[in-house]
């Protein structure tokens, strides 16, 4: 089995790793289990822990039956896909505490090196479960574009399957698959960690559904004002806003190209070169290197064009209803475990429109951002005492400067990012060796992950999610370079693709483990919020489950927002902090690494970082 980045020494048993002592516990994937599925006759069936059919009901009665069983048994619900059940339950005012999402958990187990010893059992997934990441089931945001064979961007379940359709599993099928998955987790080389990962991934699926149901509070009037201030009045369909027309005219004058179409990259590039601006692309960073009177208005035009296309009036009409933005989150949507979205662009909200995110009257937003999460995760993964010491303050980059490793905060940031993403040129290439001398364990961990990737091996996160294997094109390039008649071009291509994949695996172990920390943080916040008493003014647009209770409304990799009655804001802030500390303990035990939060209680998202 290829080496996996795990802590070098356990302080309790002096063996490899310490995660299994710190995570999970009796509550993970234990207790009562109830499977739920739709029968071929269109009825909803429930199977209890003893394997007996608890009963059947019409779909319209399912929320009431789920609510009854939830209150009586507090079960872990077993279903094929959270997206098949959670939306309708939430709409009916029913919220479940725990589930086991067979789709997400099956994908993790299908490619994890932690279950490799199970052999064929790990590959016995039924046909009604989708492909996992190692089989082209979804795209990795970190993988190099030139080296990845692009299949479907996300799981093949972008369209949620209809319960009861041909090929749908019976409730007994779900139990068989659940037992198989539990067996794989228990027989893996890190059972407690794997249990936690499957529980956290399933909790993430519930949270994704709840984020959509509650929606992010969004003031349409504020958004429209932002658009009008930046772009001018809303134009007729098919026309550009006035401000963009003005900037386009200015660019044409400066380039002496009166008929130039600024939205055509080819035409724009020709016009720039004809005006003596020697660029290879129209990228912002490249344009800024040239002092020409056309550059400033062109950059302004491109900025407004992005605002219009990504979050303009058309976006507002489609995605904001009843003062709520309801994004379609996809839990586990990338190979590293980071989330994706299948609509709405929630993971790319520009600062310009964040002013529209405003709490309801009598409510507040608790906005929390895990400060410099990935470098801290690297320090904890590697058990690097020097890097852990640098992370004990709120600003890890400043601490690295204070330790004399590099001269400036910017250099510290560039060096750390370069180390995690495999930069070998420019400032990163110059500074990374200084980090290696100061933090040898941390740099050795990512270097080892890179070497594994360059050799075509998988790497695995702390809890057990493994990277995809390189695609066929990667192997073809390596094979061509090893042939007796290989050319210099073949050898160069093989080296390049190997390095690219090594950069992917180098970052995978850190980004994937950071995603696991974030999932545990989210789940901890959700549990604590559920225990708070409802009260205060109504936020009816958030739906029946959340209209009087604090609830999560936004998540972005290492940042979350809770919408809460103002009277609970301080308690919510304490809960968010406590959940972050708990996530660190769950994953890293007593590793001396802190995970501080930048936290604000505010009425507007735009003012959170002020």
């Amino acid at each position: 089995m290829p080496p996996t980045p795990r802590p070098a020494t356990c302080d309790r048993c002096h063996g490899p790793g310490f995660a299994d002592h710190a995570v999970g516990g009796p509550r993970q994937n234990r207790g009562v289990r109830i499977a739920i599925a739709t029968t071929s006759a269109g009825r909803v069936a429930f199977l209890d822990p003893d394997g007996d059919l608890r009963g059947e009901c019409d779909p319209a009665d399912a929320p009431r039956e789920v609510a009854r069983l939830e209150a009586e048994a507090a079960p872990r619900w077993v279903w094929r896909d959270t997206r098949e059940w959670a939306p309708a339950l939430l709409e009916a005012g029913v919220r479940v505490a725990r589930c086991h999402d067979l789709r997400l958990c099956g994908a993790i187990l299908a490619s994890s090196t932690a279950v490799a010893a199970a052999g064929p059992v790990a590959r016995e997934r039924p046909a009604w479960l989708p492909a996992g990441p190692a089989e082209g089931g979804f795209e990795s945001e970190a993988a190099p574009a030139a080296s990845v064979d692009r299949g479907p961007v996300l799981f093949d379940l972008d369209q949620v399957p209809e319960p009861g359709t041909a090929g749908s599993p019976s409730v007994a099928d779900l139990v068989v698959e659940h037992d198989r998955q539990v067996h794989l987790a228990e027989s893996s080389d890190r059972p407690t960690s794997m249990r936690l990962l499957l529980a956290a991934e399933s909790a993430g699926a519930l949270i994704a559904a709840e984020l959509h149901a509650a929606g992010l509070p969004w003031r349409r009037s504020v958004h429209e004002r932002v658009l009008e201030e930046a772009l001018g009045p809303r134009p007729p369909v098919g026309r550009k806003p006035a401000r963009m027309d003005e900037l386009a005219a200015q660019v044409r004058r400066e380039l002496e190209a009166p008929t130039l179409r600024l939205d055509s990259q080819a035409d724009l590039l020709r016009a720039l070169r004809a005006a003596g601006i020697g660029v290879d692309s129209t990228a912002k960073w490249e344009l800024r290197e040239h002092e020409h009177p056309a550059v400033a208005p062109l950059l302004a035009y491109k900025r407004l064009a992005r605002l219009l296309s990504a979050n303009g009036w058309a976006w507002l009409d489609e995605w904001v209803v009843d003062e709520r933005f309801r994004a379609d989150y996809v839990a586990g949507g990338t190979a590293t475990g980071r989330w994706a979205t299948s609509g709405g662009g929630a993971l790319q909200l520009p600062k310009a429109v964040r002013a529209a995110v405003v709490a309801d009257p009598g409510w507040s937003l608790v906005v929390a951002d895990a400060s410099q999460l990935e470098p801290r995760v690297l320090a904890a993964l590697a058990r690097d005492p020097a890097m852990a010491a640098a992370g004990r303050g709120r600003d890890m980059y400043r601490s690295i400067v204070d330790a004399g490793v590099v001269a400036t905060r910017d250099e510290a940031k560039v060096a750390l990012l370069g180390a995690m993403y495999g930069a070998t040129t420019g400032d990163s290439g110059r500074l990374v060796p200084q980090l290696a001398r100061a933090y040898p364990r941390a740099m050795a961990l990512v270097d080892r992950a890179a070497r594994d990737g360059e050799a075509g091996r998988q790497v695995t996160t702390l809890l057990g999610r493994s990277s995809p294997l390189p695609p066929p094109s990667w192997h073809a390039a390596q094979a061509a370079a090893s042939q007796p008649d290989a050319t210099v071009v073949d050898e160069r291509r093989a080296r390049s693709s190997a390095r690219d994949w090594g950069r992917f695996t180098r970052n995978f172990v850190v980004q994937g483990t950071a995603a696991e920390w974030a999932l545990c943080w989210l789940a901890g916040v959700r549990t604590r919020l559920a225990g708070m008493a409802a009260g205060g003014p109504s936020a009816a647009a958030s739906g029946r489950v959340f209209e009087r209770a604090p609830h999560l409304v936004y998540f972005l990799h290492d940042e979350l927002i809770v919408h809460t009655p103002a009277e609970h804001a301080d308690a919510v802030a304490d809960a968010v902090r406590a959940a972050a500390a708990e996530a660190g303990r769950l994953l890293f035990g007593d590793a001396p690494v802190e995970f501080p939060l930048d936290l604000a209680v505010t009425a507007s998202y735009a003012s959170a970082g002020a």
Side-chain angles (χ1 to χ4, degrees), residues 11 17 32 36-37 47 54 76 127 134 146 203 210 228 281 291 336 347 381 403 413 446 462 474 497 526 568 588 592:
D11 290 341
V32 177
I36 177 173
L47 201 67
R54 177 68 68 95
R76 183 177 298 279
E210 291 169 1
E228 290 175 1
S281 73
E291 294 184 4
T336 61
L347 305 184
L381 266 176
K413 184 174 183 178
V446 291
L462 178 68
W474 186 94
S497 60
R526 177 181 185 265
H568 295 313
F588 303 113

Side-chain angles (χ1 to χ4, degrees), residues 147-182:
S147 301
V148 179
D149 290 337
R150 300 305 189 186
V153 172
L154 300 172
F155 284 104
D156 292 332
L157 288 177
D158 278 343
Q159 299 298 319
V160 180
E162 290 291 335
T165 56
S168 293
S170 69
V171 69
D173 291 335
L174 298 186
V175 171
V176 171
E177 173 60 13
H178 179 257
D179 289 345
R180 185 188 74 89
Q181 292 187 8
V182 170

